[in-house]
Structure formats: C-alpha cells, structure tokens
Amino acid sequence: MTWEIVIGLEVHAQLSTNSKIFCGASTAFGAEPNTQADAVSLALPGVLPVLNRGAVERAIKFGLATGAHIAPRSVFARKNYFYPDLPKGYQISQFDLPVVGNGALAIHVPASGKQAAYEKTVRITRAHLEEDAGKSLHEDFHGMTGIDLNRAGTPLLEIVSEPDMRSAAEAVAYAKTLHTLVRWIGICDGNMQEGSFRCDANVSVRHPGGELGTRREIKNLNSFRFLEQAINYEAQWQINTLENGDAIHQATVLFDPDSGETRMMRSKEEAHDYRYFPDPDLLPLDIAPQWIEEVRATLPELPQAKQARYVGELSLSAYDAGMLTASREMADFFETVLAAVPKDAKLCANWIIGELNAQLNRDGLDMAQCPITPQQLADILKRITDSTISNAGAKEVFRTMWDAMLKRGEFNSIIISAPSPQISASGSSNLTDVDAIIEARGLKQVSDSGAIEKIVDEIISANADKVAEYRSGKDKLFGFFVGLAMKASKGKANPAQLNDILKRKLNG
Amino acid sequence: MFNSSLRQLGAVLRAKKISSVELTQLYLDRIARLNPALNAYITLDQEKSLAQARAADERLANGDATDLTGIPIAQKDIFCARGWLTTCGSKMLHNFVSPYDAHVISQFNDAGAVNLGKTNMDEFAMGSSNETSYYGAVKNPWDESRVPGGSSGGTAAAVAARLCAAATGTDTGGSIRQPAALCGISGLKPTYGVVSRYGMIAFASSLDQAGPMGRSAEDLALLLNTMAGFDERDSTSLQRDREDYARDLAQPLDGLRIGLPREFFAEGLSSDVAQAVEAAIAEYKKLGATVVEVSLPNSGLSVPVYYVLAPAEASSNLSRFDGVRYGHRAPDYGDLADMYEKSRAQGFGAEVKRRIMIGTYVLSHGYYDAYYLQAQKIRRLIAQDFTDAFRQCDVIMGPTSPSTAFKLGEKSDDPVQMYLSDIYTIAVNLAGLPGMSIPCGFGADNMPVGLQIIGNYFGEARMLNAAHQYQLATDWHSRTPQGCKETT
Amino acid sequence: MSPSNTDVRKVARLARLAMSETEIESARAQLSGIFNLIAEMQAVDTTGIEPMSHAQDVSQRLREDKVTETNQREAFQAIAPQTEAGLYLVPQVIE
C-alpha cells in the first residue's frame, strides 16, 4: 500500500522593525531580561496598544512579493489563553480578516537520488500580523520558571501555506525559498538561531487521491535540518500507526533533536477554545491603494525576475543565475561588480560563484560578512581583462587581499585608510590595493612585445633542433616552447601575446 | 468655601485670599470628619496632596495658573496614578502602586490640580450600587441606608458631600450618570474617543469613557476642558481640534429641540422620577425649548446586548490579572494552573467573576454567533435609532435611572434587577454618544432625581449649555445633603 | 438556553477561576437568570446588519516605528509578586 505525505507549513517571521508591534519598546535581541519590557509589554492595568506602521509596511511588502491580495481592510482579534509568557492573557493577532491573502511561492526542489530536480508552486493561504510571546526560561529557580518578556510584542508575520507539499524535501525547499524571500525584501533578518524565522509543520498521511488524513502539528522547528527530520519521523510514525490499525488524533507535538522523535506537548493536551473576537482597543486597519503603490516602489527586483534577466540579458546559465540570487547580498554584490566590468558577466559570475564562495565557505562567513568589497573584486577583474595579470595571478591577488582584510577586521577600509597620493594623481584612485598587491608580489604580466620577442628569439636560437622538428610538422612541440618562454619570463608573459609571437616566429 | 464653584475657587486662589495648601487642608479635614461614615475614598495620602498644593501655590505665585491650579479634586480609583495605590475597587490590586500616570491624571497634574485621593468604586467598575467594592460599600450622603449608585459611587458621594471640589468618573453603561442622579450631582460621559483611555483600567474597552462629575454643568465644562484631547497612546482617541466646552454656556435655549423617547417613559419608570423629569421638561419649555416625541425602538434590547458585549470584553481585559507581574498572588498554590485559578478566585469578587463567566461563555466555541455577533448587530440597530432620532431634535432628554437610590442590599442578590437599573443609560454607551445627568428635583423619601441629557456625537458643548441654562433657572444642583451642611 | 453544571465548570476552567461545587451550582443558577435576560435578543431579525465592534466608524491610526521606551525594570519589578535575576518567577512551566 502506498502512502502520500501531505504537509502545510506555518512560518512565523519576526519583522525587522526597531520597535514592537504595539508599543515603543525596542526589539533588539539579546538584552538583559525584561529591560525591554515596557508598561505595554508587561500588560500593566490600563495600557493600550498602538499599531506600528513599520510592521504593516513589511506585511504589505510580503504580500506584493508573493502576488497576494492586500486586504483594504483587515481586523485585529484577540486570541485568549493563559500562559505566563503571554502577559495580557490574550495574543493580539488576526483571525477572520488577515492583512494578506492568496499568495503563491514558486519553489525549486533539488535532485535527490533517482528523483530529478523539479519546480513547483506552493499556495500561500494567508499571512497575518500578530505579536510574539515572551520566553520561559526553564533553568531551575528553586523549582520555578523564569519569565523574560523582552520578546513579548515583537511583530510577527505568520505565513500559512496550503497543504501543498508532498515530501519533507518540498517542505524544506519551500521554507528555504521563503527564508530567502523575507530577507531579500528586507522584512526579517532570518536568523533562525535567534528565533527570527520559526516553522510549524502540519503533517498528515493518506492514500494518494484519498481524503486528507488527520493532521498533527509539529511546533517550533528552528532549522531546515530539524524540519526535514521531524517531518520524516512524524510521517513514518503516522504510517506505522495507521498500518497497525490505530487512528491518528489531532495533536500538537514537539520535535526532540536528540532522539529524532516527536512527542505530544503536555501543555496542549487539553482542547483549546481561544475565544477569538475583534480587539476593541484597535480599530480596523485600512490600507489605501496609494500606500500599496508607495510600498511597491520600494520593493527590490525579486529573485525570480533577476534570474530571468541574468539568463536573458546576460546570457548566464540557469545554474549561475540561481546561485547569484541565493541571497540579496549575493545578487547585489554581483551587480555592483558587473557595473564596473559590464562586458564580462560570465567572468564576474565565475569569480563570485567559484573563488569568492569557496573563500566564504573556507572561513565560515556569509555574504553579508564578505571581507572584500565588490569594488575590490571588480578591480581585480579589470586587471585580468586588461591583461595586467593572468587568471592565476588574479587568484593570488584575491587571496592576499582577502586575508589582509580579514586580519584588519575592519572590512572595506583598506582603500579609505591608506590612500596613495601618487595613485590619486594618476586619476585611478580605486586601483590602489589591487595594483599595490600586483606590484608587491610581482604578478604583472609582461605585455611588452619587444621583451617577449627577445625571449622567444633566445629560445629559438638555443633550441635549433626542436625548432627544426616543429617546422617539419611536429606541432605538439608548441607547448614545449610556451613552457620554456613562460619559465624564462618567470611566468609573467602575457599568454595570448606569447602565443602570437611564438607562432609567428616559429612559422616564419 | 465648600459650596463654591470651580470658577469661584480659581478666583479666590488667584486673588491669594486662600492658598491651595489651606484649601487642601480644609478638604482633608472635612474628609477626616465625614468620610468614615460615607466610605467615599479608598486611598488618601495627605503628604502627596499637600505637596501638590504647595507646587500649585508656587504656580499661582508665578502667575502661570490654569483654571484648575490649586483646586482639590478627587480621582476615581480606576485611574493609574504614579505612586498612588490604584486598586480599581478590587482585592486583586490591593497592593498595586501604579508606576505610571493615566492620561487623565497627567492632564490634571499638568493643569496644577490637587489630587485629594482615590475614590471608591464598584470592583473593576462592575456594578450599579458600589456594593461590589472590596473596600466596602459607599453610603449615599442623602440617606446613609441607601446606595450612591455605581460604579462611580465614591466620586458621586464625595462630590455630593463636598469632600472634593469636583472629581472624575468613568462610564461603561451609566457609571457616571446613574450615581450622579442618585447623589444629586452633575456628571457627563463624553462622546467615545474624546477622553483618552490610557491608564484607565479597562472594563469594556469599546464602551468605557471617562468624564467629569461635579456640582454644576459649568464645573463639568471646566473639567472636561482639561480631560479631553487627543492622546497618541490610545488608538481610539480621536484627533480633533481642541474645543472650549464652556463656550456656549451662556447661549439662550430659544429654539432648542428636545426629543423625548417614548420608550423612556413607559412601564418600569417610577412615578416620582417621572414627575420630576416632566417638571424639568416643563421648565425647559419655559426657557424657550420645543419638545418632540421620538422613538428608540431597539432601546429595550440595550440591557441584553450590553450584558453580552461588556462581559465578553471584560473577560478578556481581566485576563492580565494572573498573579505573575503585579497584583494579588495566592499565598499557597501547587502548579501553574493552580496558581492562576486560586489567585484569580481570591482576587476577584463575586460580580466580577460572574461577568468573566458570562463573557467567557458567550465568546466560547459554539455560542459566538448566537450571542456575541448577534449582540454586535443589534448594537448597530440601537445606534441607528439615535441617528434617526437626532434628525428631529438637538438633544434627547429623559430619566437617568428608573428609580431613586435604593437601599443597600436591596438588589445585591438579584443581578438581573441590578442590571435593569441601567436601562436608560446603556444605549448611549453602545452608540458611543455623549450623555449627562443633572439634578432635577426629589422623589419619594426626598431622594434626588436625575435628568438625563443625551447629545449627538461631539454635542457636549450644546448639552452643557442646556444643562447650565436650566441650572441658572433652578437650584436643584445646589442643594446639599442634610448631614453635610457644615461649612467653613 | 440554560447552562449546565458541566458548562459552568468548563467556563470556569477556561477563565482560570477556582470554583467549589457549591459555587458552580450557584453560578449556574445566576447565569441561567442572566441568559434568560439575554435570550430576548435571539428573536431579533438581524439579517444583513453589519456587526458593530467600535463606537465609531474610523480606521486605525498608526505610529511611526521608533523606540520611545527606556528600561524601567526596577520600578516595574518592585510591584511583582516574585522575581529573581530580572525574571518573573512562576510555578514550573511544562511544555
């Protein structure tokens, strides 16, 4: 008997506002407990919520980026339940009328085993604004739990998908695409360790084409790996349960990364009755078409549009285009480099996808922490295209610069901190570092044809026998002459020039 | 001095005939004599009051006094006041010293008024007799065996007994107007959104509105000038230009069209109240007003609608009282659920629990549409009735309460009878309209009767004008309860 | 409609109010009276009427995204039942 896994995801993305969703307390991560819990966060008697424009703006951005409907009028509702990290005894959320509805996200599910890579669209049911809860710290305070309300009131966008995913791989692909998107449009920092992007997975199993099975919800998955493991475990558990003739009961479960298993949440055992009703403290949220247009104007070009443009206009491969749009930082870096060397898109792409990514991986950095600037990379690439250095020489320049910048710890500062008067006089002040390294390392290619001719002449006269062999038709010897000439030039001869001259002289 | 209007007090203070410290001390002494019998105040703090009075005297000396600088007033204990015990009439907040000021408190502080103390009230403003206060019932100064009304009963009793020059109240279903009527004073509930709710402990957020209580319409206008105004901390606070609520006081009433809703004069209204109200209408006709009968066909539904919506909002508003961050925590408890359940069971009184239960019930799964949603729809019908009526008139008048003050304990075992005593006031809150009550005579057993004046949205200045002109022509508002006549 | 003792018990639990069996019985009696009062509403035809949640038909005002609050932990925790190391303490929370 075959089983089909059905998955829907609810993602809680913390919005990157400065202040909380309903008050002026800071949302900065990592402060001392309760130092960012103001009167409103603490739900002192008499305090009232006032909605943060920045949170709404980010929700609109998300709606626009997923082709969703932005509700002209949406309503905040109270979700009532008691929990110590929920100071008011209710969470302000949206219920009947969410701010964003009916969006979609195209995902790319990578190849795995015999399964080839494929594209798929996941529908987004809704996205609504709500407030985060505080944190319960379970370290032992004489058998008690400590409550920190700094996080209480941090704005969240809860993004709810349709149950459109059919495997853990699809769920992970969707979550990753969403993760890229929210960072891309600048509404969420995506920091999963800090809980800025958290996934709940609704999992059920059924026979293909049959009715939807009873679902269980896995709460608070804060890494893509756990998401995958938890779904796979849960689906198998459900299949085993059903095959044993037992029934699945709707439940909320937690994933334990140590055991790799899911287990029922004790606090959620009793059925909830949240008693949603419109929050009388908050009037309906009206979003005028003009505001939507203003937000649209600030929206960056989205990953998929960029990919299409890279392939269409820059003649890059789909693979390259995908790699370059893995993050907004990556794409911005690429486009800044490209602006400086506009005719060499492929060269830029190769360097970023190859050398730069390899270095980032080696040092465990992400793109935002990249020690060298796009301008510096462009400078290197310019020295390749104007034949000052070879590709191998360029790699040496790149690594030298990378290490120097890393050591300084203050990225992007070489040029500013060490201006060279001679260079600025020459009018090409941007070339300081690259040219200095080329100079210091002696990486400059010999492109002086007189000098190359002289070397070639010497080789020809010192190897008369080989020259004769070559001229009698042993073409393969050409490489031998190149090698000798390179060696004689200490590797600095411009290869293209050397080839030309060598060919002319040998044939002549 | 205790019978002076706020304008008169302001004038003698500015003329340095008396200092604010002296005036405040006079009131504190009077409170010390009369309050033990009335129980109008929950918290007094002489030191704080006198410190404010000294600051006011400095302002008076520097010549930067406002209308209210140096005038001793009282604050309903529903308003958070920094450094003051703020109990909301509940054991739940018996130890809650507020770390911040409500908007209303800040407004009075900025004006230089002196806070004499926090007045008694029904617990969390839930009640019509002041008997639900954890701090004991308040007695009606006109007859200490009777209730002062509620929930702003402490304020009403304090104003009637001259234990303050004026005071604040809040009104969710009649909590300013009904005690004003029962204690023979004037009280105004403004249009919803005119006075910020920030720092006013919430009962039913979509209905709650703070307002002034005092001895005359003129005093109310001065108080409202200080209380009203936009506050960015309350999302329901309305952004409107400041207005002078006293600007129209002197206008004659010629051509004023008074609407009398036939539903307000039907079965259930006691004859003594009806008589006094009819006499007041006759007086208005003499002052140049015309009278037209109007109809509020759905007003009879206002009590059931209110007892769905207000408890629903309250059940949620009162969830924050959980013994975690402030307020009462049970001394002995087992696990977390036990701590919650015991703290709340001990901290809340019977009426509050009853309303939390009603509210939780009507919002719970399966009942929402039949109760909550249906009540919200009828709420719209009730508001629409007023819109229709105001096409024919400028103000609506009628009784504030169906009877004069009842005896302590008379209705406390019968919540439904108690709820019906707000039958004429509740609809005004549901619609968000301004409403006021002014004294208009005495009924059986010589107890005061209140005339209710309902205005259209933002019609406060017009209502105050109508009330003031009536008070120029009559003296009901200046009558003083027998036991409170001693003056200095 | 009249609530049963089971309804009352469930509601008391939702509202986190400890109630003895006697209290539940008396609450049931009182709630029945109140629900009789409320029942009057049921007969009204409200087809096509928009529910009214707010006293005025205005829309939400928004605040600018600015941090305006400073740390007042000491003042706020001075009135707390039990704190330690800046945290509010509650009986152990089990997830």
Side-chain angles (χ1 to χ4, degrees):
Chain A
M1 212 176 325
T2 58
W3 291 95
E4 181 180 57
I5 308 172
V6 177
I7 306 155
L9 289 191
E10 289 170 22
V11 170
H12 289 87
Q14 277 184 353
L15 299 176
S16 55
T17 51
N18 301 313
S19 61
K20 293 185 178 179
I21 184 166
F22 295 118
C23 63
S26 168
T27 55
F29 182 83
E32 284 292 300
N34 291 309
T35 54
Q36 288 167 183
D38 67 327
V40 175
S41 307
L42 290 176
L44 290 186
V47 298
L48 296 168
V50 184
L51 183 57
N52 182 340
R53 173 182 298 275
V56 180
E57 205 164 78
R58 283 164 178 80
I60 296 173
K61 269 193 182 178
F62 178 79
L64 291 172
T66 51
H69 171 69
I70 316 278
R73 171 164 276 207
S74 66
V75 166
F76 285 92
R78 294 184 181 178
K79 178 181 183 179
N80 293 282
Y81 65 96
F82 286 88
Y83 210 69
D85 64 11
L86 187 72
K88 294 188 294 299
Y90 58 84
Q91 179 194 31
I92 304 178
S93 181
Q94 297 191 296
F95 187 55
D96 282 338
L97 296 166
V99 62
V100 170
N102 285 327
L105 200 63
I107 63 169
H108 173 88
V109 187
S112 144
K114 274 186 249 165
Q115 170 78 60
Y118 60 99
E119 312 291 321
K120 173 168 184 157
T121 297
V122 175
R123 291 169 299 159
I124 292 171
T125 319
R126 58 185 280 161
H128 65 253
L129 285 164
E130 63 182 27
E131 55 181 343
D132 209 343
K135 280 181 186 165
S136 304
L137 299 159
H138 302 291
E139 291 100 77
D140 195 18
F141 294 99
H142 339 288
M144 300 189 90
T145 293
I147 306 295
D148 174 10
L149 298 171
N150 280 348
R151 196 180 68 176
T154 298
L156 293 176
L157 190 67
E158 179 173 335
I159 304 156
V160 182
S161 84
E162 291 289 315
D164 282 352
M165 289 152 279
R166 295 292 174 268
S167 67
E170 288 186 5
V172 169
Y174 166 79
K176 282 185 170 170
T177 309
L178 199 58
H179 186 247
T180 301
L181 180 68
V182 295
R183 286 177 305 147
W184 188 282
I185 59 177
I187 65 168
C188 169
D189 70 17
N191 190 323
M192 296 179 83
Q193 280 83 46
E194 292 178 4
S196 303
F197 188 91
R198 319 194 285 269
C199 303
D200 299 341
N202 283 299
V203 179
S204 64
V205 298
R206 66 171 173 188
H207 298 302
E211 297 262 303
L212 280 179
T214 303
R215 64 191 162 90
R216 304 213 310 166
E217 183 181 13
I218 317 169
K219 279 275 182 204
N220 273 332
L221 296 160
N222 63 358
S223 86
F224 298 125
R225 196 161 55 90
F226 294 163
L227 177 65
E228 184 167 23
Q229 288 173 358
I231 290 172
N232 283 332
Y233 175 86
E234 175 64 24
Q236 195 55 54
W237 180 88
Q238 290 188 15
I239 291 167
N240 294 345
T241 303
L242 291 170
E243 287 183 345
N244 283 339
D246 296 327
I248 306 287
H249 300 286
Q250 195 163 330
T252 307
V253 300
L254 283 178
F255 176 67
D256 179 353
D258 296 330
S259 65
E261 296 177 358
T262 54
R263 64 163 173 87
M264 293 266 285
M265 272 179 89
R266 290 179 59 182
S267 59
K268 299 269 180 178
E269 275 168 19
E270 108 187 60
H272 269 292
D273 184 344
Y274 291 123
R275 291 158 284 136
Y276 280 100
F277 73 106
D279 192 328
D281 288 329
L282 291 162
L283 299 158
L285 169 63
D286 288 339
I287 298 175
Q290 191 200 339
W291 190 14
I292 298 177
E293 289 320 306
E294 282 167 21
V295 174
R296 196 193 301 278
T298 68
L299 211 60
E301 187 184 19
L302 297 174
Q304 275 160 346
K306 264 197 204 301
Q307 286 166 19
R309 188 165 59 81
Y310 290 175
V311 172
E313 289 177 16
L314 303 177
S315 306
L316 296 180
S317 68
Y319 173 82
D320 285 356
M323 291 294 287
L324 291 171
T325 53
S327 73
R328 175 97 172 270
E329 290 82 7
M330 179 81 90
D332 285 348
F333 198 102
F334 167 68
E335 291 186 13
T336 313
V337 175
L338 185 65
V341 279
K343 287 179 206 148
D344 297 287
K346 182 63 188 162
L347 181 70
C348 297
N350 286 348
W351 268 80
I352 290 168
I353 295 165
E355 195 64 17
L356 186 99
N357 256 344
Q359 288 289 340
L360 287 172
N361 287 339
R362 188 197 71 180
D363 293 336
L365 301 173
D366 63 35
M367 198 65 209
Q369 300 164 302
C370 180
I372 81 160
T373 66
Q375 194 55 55
Q376 288 171 326
L377 179 59
D379 290 345
I380 296 173
L381 301 189
K382 274 186 201 161
R383 287 293 170 261
I384 298 175
T385 55
D386 73 6
S387 302
T388 305
I389 48 176
S390 63
N391 209 49
K395 284 185 182 174
E396 194 172 337
V397 174
F398 180 84
R399 283 174 200 161
T400 307
M401 178 171 277
W402 183 284
D403 292 341
M405 296 294 277
L406 259 191
K407 233 174 253 163
R408 281 189 185 213
E410 25 182 66
F411 308 145
N412 311 340
S413 64
I414 283 191
I415 293 162
I416 301 148
S417 64
S420 157
Q422 299 140 280
I423 302 287
S424 55
S426 79
S428 54
S429 58
N430 284 340
L431 298 183
T432 324
D433 306 316
V434 169
D435 289 344
I437 294 168
I438 292 170
E439 200 60 42
R441 297 260 163 155
L443 296 170
K444 199 163 187 172
Q445 296 190 119
V446 177
S447 299
D448 168 354
S449 56
I452 297 173
E453 281 190 35
K454 194 171 161 239
I455 291 169
V456 171
D457 288 343
E458 279 166 17
I459 287 168
I460 288 176
S461 57
N463 296 280
D465 50 340
K466 298 282 182 196
V467 174
E469 274 181 54
Y470 175 83
R471 285 181 177 158
S472 67
K474 209 168 175 188
D475 288 353
K476 279 183 187 166
L477 278 172
F478 189 73
F480 165 77
F481 293 111
V482 171
L484 286 180
M486 270 296 177
K487 202 174 167 191
S489 75
K490 298 192 179 98
K492 291 179 202 164
N494 178 329
Q497 241 177 333
L498 175 64
N499 276 5
D500 285 352
I501 293 169
L502 200 56
K503 226 168 242 172
R504 180 162 46 81
K505 298 237 170 193
L506 284 170
N507 297 341
Chain B
M1 199 59 77
F2 295 121
N3 287 318
S4 306
S5 72
L6 297 184
R7 277 206 170 128
Q8 288 165 337
L9 285 177
V12 296
L13 283 165
R14 278 189 294 275
K16 316 280 189 317
K17 287 184 181 150
I18 189 170
S19 71
S20 175
V21 168
E22 288 163 338
L23 184 63
T24 301
Q25 193 60 59
L26 285 175
Y27 271 107
L28 290 171
D29 293 345
R30 186 175 169 87
I31 290 168
R33 282 198 307 280
L34 300 181
N35 187 58
L38 296 175
N39 197 27
Y41 284 90
I42 292 175
T43 302
L44 293 160
D45 187 332
Q46 291 225 17
E47 285 315 307
K48 277 201 179 64
S49 302
L50 290 169
Q52 277 191 312
R54 279 191 293 275
D57 282 332
E58 262 174 57
R59 273 180 81 164
L60 286 157
N62 295 338
D64 67 342
T66 71
D67 284 347
L68 297 181
T69 303
I71 295 181
I73 60 166
Q75 300 286 357
K76 184 176 182 179
D77 205 21
I78 199 167
F79 295 103
C80 288
R82 189 193 298 271
W84 284 84
L85 186 65
T86 299
T87 70
C88 216
S90 181
K91 179 182 180 183
M92 183 57 89
L93 292 176
H94 70 91
N95 54 2
F96 181 70
V97 177
S98 177
Y100 80 105
D101 280 329
H103 181 75
V104 163
I105 298 287
S106 307
Q107 294 291 99
F108 280 112
N109 287 346
D110 292 350
V114 173
N115 183 8
L116 286 170
K118 306 293 289 293
T119 58
N120 205 341
M121 56 182 286
D122 278 302
E123 184 179 4
F124 285 105
M126 297 176 189
S128 309
S129 66
N130 223 300
E131 293 166 292
T132 73
S133 170
Y134 174 68
Y135 303 91
V138 177
K139 314 288 164 50
N140 191 315
W142 294 90
D143 176 352
E144 290 178 11
S145 71
R146 291 177 189 270
V147 302
S151 66
S152 310
T155 283
V159 171
R162 277 52 170 168
L163 300 184
C164 56
T168 55
T170 62
D171 190 318
T172 305
S175 280
I176 286 175
R177 290 160 289 158
Q178 186 255 16
L182 270 47
C183 288
I185 65 160
S186 304
L188 170 69
K189 179 205 96 76
T191 305
Y192 183 87
V194 162
V195 177
S196 167
R197 294 183 297 115
Y198 189 82
M200 179 180 129
I201 299 176
F203 161 15
S205 312
S206 78
L207 305 166
D208 295 343
Q209 186 61 202
M213 298 174 77
R215 288 199 311 276
S216 69
E218 185 196 36
D219 284 2
L220 299 185
L222 292 193
L223 292 170
L224 188 57
N225 278 347
T226 296
M227 296 174 80
F230 174 65
D231 175 17
E232 62 183 9
R233 296 170 301 182
D234 173 1
S235 297
T236 60
S237 170
L238 296 165
Q239 276 171 301
R240 305 180 76 247
D241 292 336
R242 279 203 89 82
E243 55 178 300
D244 175 9
Y245 292 100
R247 67 181 185 273
D248 291 335
L249 289 178
Q251 296 297 317
L253 296 186
D254 296 310
L256 177 75
R257 295 174 304 160
I258 298 173
L260 300 179
R262 75 173 73 94
E263 294 79 6
F264 282 17
F265 294 89
E267 198 191 339
L269 177 64
S270 24
S271 57
D272 56 339
V273 173
Q275 247 170 11
V277 170
E278 277 155 18
I281 303 299
E283 182 65 36
Y284 268 104
K285 284 186 189 162
K286 275 198 257 170
L287 292 169
T290 59
V291 166
V292 56
E293 189 184 81
V294 295
S295 178
L296 302 170
N298 293 291
S299 62
L301 292 162
S302 60
V303 173
V305 165
Y306 179 85
Y307 279 95
V308 171
L309 298 183
E313 293 184 18
S315 69
S316 175
N317 283 335
L318 269 57
S319 293
R320 68 188 58 198
F321 302 103
D322 59 3
V324 175
R325 299 163 313 285
Y326 49 78
H328 178 74
R329 179 185 285 198
D332 300 303
Y333 50 83
D335 62 6
L336 179 66
D338 195 46
M339 191 276 278
Y340 279 149
E341 293 186 353
K342 282 197 176 128
S343 300
R344 289 168 59 80
Q346 294 166 6
F348 294 137
E351 182 60 27
V352 172
K353 284 187 217 173
R354 186 147 52 232
R355 298 212 195 179
I356 292 175
M357 295 285 287
I358 300 169
T360 305
Y361 196 94
V362 298
L363 287 177
S364 65
H365 187 69
Y367 301 108
Y368 182 83
D369 286 6
Y371 289 115
Y372 186 78
L373 219 51
Q374 174 74 348
Q376 280 202 327
K377 290 175 180 173
I378 302 175
R379 180 180 184 180
R380 189 169 296 280
L381 295 177
I382 290 168
Q384 189 58 46
D385 285 352
F386 281 107
T387 306
D388 295 342
F390 278 118
R391 291 205 181 91
Q392 297 169 262
C393 59
D394 303 311
V395 292
I396 288 170
M397 290 190 188
T400 304
S401 178
S403 69
T404 57
F406 44 91
K407 294 274 189 186
L408 284 156
E410 189 181 322
K411 296 185 181 180
S412 39
D413 292 334
D414 188 348
V416 171
Q417 277 313 303
M418 187 73 91
Y419 296 171
L420 288 170
S421 66
D422 293 330
I423 189 154
Y424 304 130
T425 49
I426 281 176
V428 173
N429 299 78
L430 291 170
L433 291 164
M436 68 187 296
S437 180
I438 55 171
C440 71
F442 291 85
D445 301 316
N446 207 31
M447 292 305 290
V449 174
L451 172 74
Q452 184 173 209
I453 306 174
I454 301 167
N456 210 336
Y457 297 104
F458 311 111
E460 287 84 355
R462 185 69 162 138
M463 294 156 65
L464 287 163
N465 160 233
H468 180 65
Q469 289 301 311
Y470 176 80
Q471 291 181 336
L472 288 179
T474 60
D475 71 345
W476 304 116
H477 64 291
S478 52
R479 305 284 181 92
T480 313
Q482 200 58 40
C484 309
K485 282 201 168 140
E486 53 159 324
T487 52
T488 38
Chain C
M1 85 142 276
S2 267
S4 66
N5 279 2
T6 313
D7 293 335
V8 174
R9 218 171 279 123
K10 189 189 138 209
V11 169
R13 169 77 190 137
L14 273 176
R16 296 294 185 275
L17 291 170
M19 275 197 178
S20 67
E21 282 307 305
T22 337
E23 286 172 312
I24 284 170
E25 174 52 36
S26 83
R28 189 200 58 74
Q30 278 171 336
L31 290 187
S32 295
I34 294 161
F35 276 94
N36 285 339
L37 175 76
I38 293 172
E40 224 184 300
M41 280 188 341
Q42 306 300 332
V44 182
D45 180 9
T46 52
T47 321
I49 307 291
E50 188 68 22
M52 179 172 167
S53 299
H54 298 280
Q56 263 132 19
D57 190 21
V58 279
S59 59
Q60 182 65 43
R61 177 168 40 80
L62 303 171
R63 39 169 273 275
E64 293 310 311
D65 178 21
K66 273 193 290 209
V67 175
T68 53
E69 301 303 312
T70 52
N71 175 21
Q72 293 188 66
R73 186 173 81 182
E74 206 176 321
F76 291 149
Q77 296 201 340
I79 51 171
Q82 199 179 354
T83 59
E84 189 173 313
L87 299 162
Y88 293 94
L89 294 195
V90 297
Q92 202 119 58
V93 173
I94 300 153
E95 287 197 321

